[in-house]
Amino acid sequence: MPAKPKFYLTTPIYYTNGLPHIGHTYTTVVADVIRRYKRMRGYEVVMTTGTDEHGVNVERAAKNAGIPESEFVAKMADAWRALWLELGISADEFVRTTDLQHVRTVQWLFKLCRENGYVYKGHYTGQYCIYDNAFVNDAKPGDNCPDCGRPTETLTEENYFFKLSAFQKPLLDFYKKNPDFIQPESRKNEILTFVEGGLKDLSITRTTIRWGIPVPGEEPHVFYVWFDALTAYLSAVGGPDYEKRGMWPADLHLVGKDIIRFHTVYWPAFLMAAMLPIPKQVWAHGWFLMDASKMSKSKGNVVLPRPIANMLGMDALRYFLLREVVFGQDGNFSYDALVTRYNSDLANGLGNLASRTAAMIEKNFGGIIPKTGKLQPQDETLARETQTAIGNVLDYFEKLNFARALESLWSVIATADKYLTTEKPWSLGDSELDLQRKATVLATTAELLRIVTVLAHPVLPDSTAKIWKLLGQPGSVSAVELDGLRWGQLAAGVPLGKPHTLFPRLEKSEAIERIESMANEELNPTAPPTAAPAVAPGATTGAAAAAAPAASEKIAIEDFAKVEMRVGQIKTAERIVGADKLLKLTVDIGTEIRQICAGIAQFYEPDSLIGRKVAVVTNLAPRKLRGVESNGMIVAASVGPEGRPVLAGFLEDVEVGARLK
Ligand code: MSP
């Protein structure tokens, strides 16, 4: 069998002085969708994401948190990693710029550039934006940073310089020879104009920063952030030994439009200087805006992904991000649009089609998928249209036009809804002829649903896996080869699987209120930092725990004394419909029985908890989660990269209600 073609794609590596918002989530979700899609098209795929952990901002954030930088970034990297897992994003490589392999790669790349004559020592004075970690070209003292609007600082220091000026012509030639390198087309002119305008040499080391990768033998020089950061793409797949892994050059770098210049000018120039292969494509997408401006913590307008995923499910968040704006363009984020889409496209659309199809097969054919009988023209039309949609959807995916891909797919769902309304299988009787017609209509609908499920899988991994099982189809939906997908492959005669409510319909204002209140809680936690490893009632588990350093200044003993923790004993435990991660518990805390929701459902069977003694934070303000009141918090350790909760307990027998101090 021939070896699979390879596909290597990357997201930017994210700064660790903050936690992910919906903008970062967007790029990473897109990368995950492409990863899943390419796998289903037969590629061997590696997707890399990671964290950009050096620089002045991290130095400052760690200082504020009162912990060493290395500890700070380790916690932040865990938090980012945990969130991606919660959102169904399983990157193959998670690169941290503090990894030894990365450090070696940066030093090696520098050595190659220097040996080839593209590095020299000099002095640089300029206006520097410490927030964006970049000198601001042509800025004068007193100017603000054009990107973030904050004041720049004048900086003079001894630097190593990279001879970017030597690469004007090679870059222009490269763009010409590789017309698809910069995508979308609309961004290409911006870069061409920039390069044609002349390139200045680039400072690639600093002496004013301590927290960075040292330039060997040249301390106190450390590498400047872009030389360090961009190299992460290469260190993730072998660094100096990249040839062994066989993944370099990258096939696709996904970036936001804010960092396209670094990826399409600096990065290829560094690689040319080192005589290393250059990536095939850089794709710059637009921003998710909030009230027409870019989200940022300093503006206080960030939208957090976790509350949305907790309320609507991770698939709904993924779907919305891809469906709402055309990849490449800017788009406005609104909770209203989010919940509207959830209700119309997922609850009433895909979810409803799946559940009504299954219910009718259950009722009429004892839950066994029937065989199609004699076809009528309308059945054949539906089959033809769906078959055509397969080609269109794959075409759109290939062009990274996710919004159109999903639009085409959802128009197939709408066609199925119309077909059922016209054919009315529920109004047919029990005569041989009627039964045959019913079988044909339901098998046709089930086949359409199977195809939609396969095509939607990269975007909706969780719910499509459930529909696949519901349809009783063999193997896993992720293993279906998209290139072999055709109408007429439904395994008939098989029993349906267990039905799930995939997307319960939500009352819009109530849903928005709950998302916003969870977001407020995450941004301004009521629990003090010391209680961070607890399983927050918002089911946030490890990520919430790891997020703690941002808020963790030293606290006084009086602050700790404000937290009332008691020994509790679990009396009952049950799952909450529509909330995969939450358990509803009743807990005896000595003076009363409390109802508490805990985000542990994926790791503890309800029955195994009855009678167990646990540590409970008892003086938290009550909150509603998925409409269920939660009055307290169960304490747990957060273990491993996925933040698996492990309940805190007691080795000796303790009295229920005893206070923890
Ligand atoms: N660390 C650098 C990238 C180094 S890559 C070698 C960096 N990090 S970042 O944390 O600021 O995140 C950058 C990326 O996050 C953006 O390029 C973009 O991909 C994404 N987004 C951040 N805010 C965004 C929006 N509001 N909307 C969409 N994406 C945005 O820059």
Side-chain angles (χ1 to χ4, degrees):
M1 221 168 87
K4 286 181 177 182
K6 70 101 187 165
F7 195 83
Y8 176 38
L9 80 157
T10 64
T11 74
I13 52 165
Y14 301 103
Y15 290 132
T16 40
N17 52 316
L19 287 167
H21 59 59
I22 214 79
H24 311 115
T25 307
Y26 181 48
T27 323
T28 320
V29 163
V30 167
D32 183 71
V33 169
I34 298 173
R35 169 182 177 270
R36 292 173 188 272
Y37 161 76
K38 284 282 179 187
R39 289 224 160 131
M40 292 174 82
R41 287 208 94 160
Y43 285 80
E44 188 189 337
V45 186
V46 170
M47 171 199 152
T48 289
T49 188
T51 39
D52 195 349
E53 302 186 356
H54 292 122
V56 131
N57 289 335
V58 168
E59 242 174 54
R60 285 181 190 166
K63 196 164 169 230
N64 284 342
I67 54 175
E69 288 94 351
S70 55
E71 198 180 309
F72 181 82
V73 292
K75 286 191 170 159
M76 295 303 273
D78 278 352
W80 282 79
R81 221 191 306 242
L83 179 79
W84 299 146
L85 285 173
E86 275 179 57
L87 300 181
I89 297 163
S90 32
D92 305 283
E93 296 295 337
F94 189 97
V95 63
R96 298 181 50 194
T97 53
T98 51
D99 289 340
L100 195 58
Q101 159 85 343
H102 175 71
V103 170
R104 280 201 202 111
T105 309
V106 171
Q107 294 174 340
W108 167 75
L109 186 71
F110 178 75
K111 189 167 153 269
L112 294 179
C113 292
R114 197 181 197 178
E115 281 168 3
N116 294 339
Y118 294 108
V119 165
Y120 64 93
K121 209 184 246 184
H123 280 90
Y124 186 83
T125 300
Q127 291 309 113
Y128 190 81
C129 172
I130 54 156
Y131 302 96
D132 296 336
N133 280 315
F135 278 102
V136 179
N137 281 338
D138 307 323
K140 296 178 301 302
D143 282 356
N144 286 341
C145 167
D147 283 337
C148 70
R150 288 177 279 202
T152 56
E153 290 176 10
T154 307
L155 208 77
T156 299
E157 59 175 5
E158 184 188 77
N159 284 178
Y160 273 100
F161 280 80
F162 176 79
K163 277 193 199 163
L164 188 62
S165 54
F167 289 91
Q168 184 187 31
K169 185 161 181 330
L171 281 169
L172 291 172
D173 289 347
F174 175 77
Y175 303 146
K176 206 180 235 166
K177 262 201 225 124
N178 299 276
D180 294 333
F181 177 64
I182 304 169
Q183 289 294 323
E185 279 297 313
S186 51
R187 298 259 161 235
K188 207 188 287 179
N189 275 343
E190 169 191 330
I191 297 300
L192 288 181
T193 313
F194 174 74
V195 177
E196 278 160 1
L199 294 173
K200 286 192 192 141
D201 290 350
L202 195 71
S203 125
I204 54 168
T205 69
R206 307 278 309 270
T207 48
T208 43
I209 299 177
R210 193 179 39 79
W211 182 241
I213 297 177
V215 181
E218 303 284 350
E219 291 81 356
H221 280 273
V222 297
F223 287 99
Y224 159 73
V225 85
W226 284 102
F227 195 86
D228 170 355
L230 290 159
T231 309
Y233 300 137
L234 185 53
S235 46
V237 288
D241 290 329
Y242 70 91
E243 275 165 319
K244 269 195 218 148
R245 179 90 182 257
M247 279 293 159
W248 194 258
D251 295 272
L252 177 62
H253 289 315
L254 293 170
V255 298
K257 63 180 183 179
D258 45 336
I259 55 175
I260 187 170
R261 191 184 288 177
F262 306 115
H263 285 76
T264 55
V265 182
Y266 297 2
W267 185 221
F270 296 159
L271 293 166
M272 282 176 187
M275 297 205 277
L276 293 169
I278 297 169
K280 302 211 179 110
Q281 193 167 75
V282 177
W283 231 103
H285 62 75
W287 286 339
F288 258 104
L289 306 172
M290 197 59 184
D291 308 324
S293 74
K294 195 187 175 204
M295 275 173 223
S296 84
K297 220 167 135 192
S298 58
K299 286 187 212 147
N301 64 352
V302 290
V303 176
L304 300 178
R306 187 177 283 117
I308 297 173
N310 282 347
M311 185 67 212
L312 307 179
M314 70 174 197
D315 277 8
L317 172 60
R318 293 167 63 102
Y319 176 80
F320 178 75
L321 292 177
L322 270 78
R323 176 68 185 86
E324 195 61 14
V325 288
V326 173
F327 192 61
Q329 295 172 8
D330 286 349
N332 243 313
F333 184 90
S334 99
Y335 285 122
D336 197 286
L338 168 74
V339 182
T340 302
R341 270 223 183 273
Y342 169 89
N343 276 331
S344 67
D345 295 12
L346 298 175
N348 295 348
L350 179 61
N352 184 42
L353 179 66
S355 61
R356 71 203 283 223
T357 307
M360 285 189 282
I361 294 176
E362 187 65 54
K363 182 159 175 252
N364 294 286
F365 298 99
I368 306 287
I369 298 189
K371 275 211 171 63
T372 325
K374 190 172 167 333
L375 294 179
Q376 297 198 357
Q378 61 272 36
D379 311 325
E380 281 164 343
T381 306
L382 190 86
R384 240 190 347 267
E385 282 178 13
T386 311
Q387 182 65 46
T388 310
I390 297 176
N392 293 341
V393 171
L394 293 185
D395 235 35
Y396 285 130
F397 266 125
E398 205 50 38
K399 293 183 181 132
L400 308 191
N401 194 340
F402 307 106
R404 290 306 294 274
L406 294 172
E407 190 186 19
S408 306
L409 205 47
W410 258 253
S411 75
V412 174
I413 296 178
T415 311
D417 286 339
K418 234 184 270 154
Y419 172 76
L420 285 173
T421 311
T422 332
E423 297 308 309
K424 296 187 180 50
W426 50 86
S427 68
L428 295 167
D430 286 333
S431 69
E432 186 59 23
L433 219 61
D434 273 5
L435 272 177
Q436 263 194 31
R437 184 65 201 141
K438 241 191 271 188
T440 303
V441 172
L442 293 181
T444 301
T445 314
E447 171 58 343
L448 176 144
L449 179 61
R450 181 188 72 91
I451 288 173
V452 169
T453 303
V454 172
L455 291 171
H457 179 69
V459 181
L460 305 172
D462 193 34
S463 35
T464 51
K466 287 179 182 151
I467 303 176
W468 193 251
K469 290 240 149 32
L470 174 70
L471 287 174
Q473 296 304 291
S476 128
V477 58
S478 61
V480 176
E481 283 173 22
L482 286 175
D483 292 302
L485 184 66
R486 306 264 181 283
W487 181 271
Q489 297 165 322
L490 179 78
V494 295
L496 293 177
K498 219 169 77 201
H500 289 268
T501 310
L502 291 169
F503 305 105
R505 227 193 117 74
L506 294 172
E507 204 282 305
K508 197 197 285 178
S509 53
E510 202 186 315
I512 295 176
E513 209 174 286
R514 284 204 227 143
I515 296 173
E516 284 179 337
S517 105
M518 281 190 260
N520 280 338
E521 184 61 30
E522 200 173 318
L523 290 168
N524 315 297
T526 49
T530 41
V535 177
T540 52
T541 64
S552 66
E553 283 166 37
K554 293 262 184 264
I555 59 159
I557 186 77
E558 301 77 59
D559 293 323
F560 178 68
K562 285 185 200 152
V563 187
E564 189 183 274
M565 279 195 274
R566 295 191 179 274
V567 176
Q569 186 167 37
I570 299 176
K571 293 289 170 195
T572 64
E574 60 184 277
R575 295 190 186 277
I576 298 175
V577 180
D580 286 351
K581 292 180 185 154
L582 283 184
L583 286 186
K584 184 167 86 180
L585 311 172
T586 51
V587 185
D588 183 354
I589 56 162
T591 47
E592 61 182 299
I593 308 268
R594 287 277 186 91
Q595 175 169 296
I596 300 176
C597 296
I600 56 175
Q602 289 171 316
F603 301 92
Y604 286 92
E605 274 308 311
D607 284 347
S608 71
L609 293 170
I610 314 287
R612 186 157 170 164
K613 287 187 176 162
V614 286
V616 183
V617 180
T618 50
N619 64 340
L620 275 180
R623 285 187 296 170
K624 274 196 167 174
L625 294 161
R626 300 294 184 107
V628 181
E629 171 131 334
S630 181
N631 195 355
M633 180 162 83
I634 310 285
V635 179
S638 169
V639 178
E642 87 280 31
R644 177 172 62 89
V646 175
L647 292 177
F650 306 92
L651 290 175
E652 294 169 43
D653 197 15
V654 280
E655 202 187 324
V656 170
R659 179 134 191 217
L660 273 72
K661 293 187 173 177

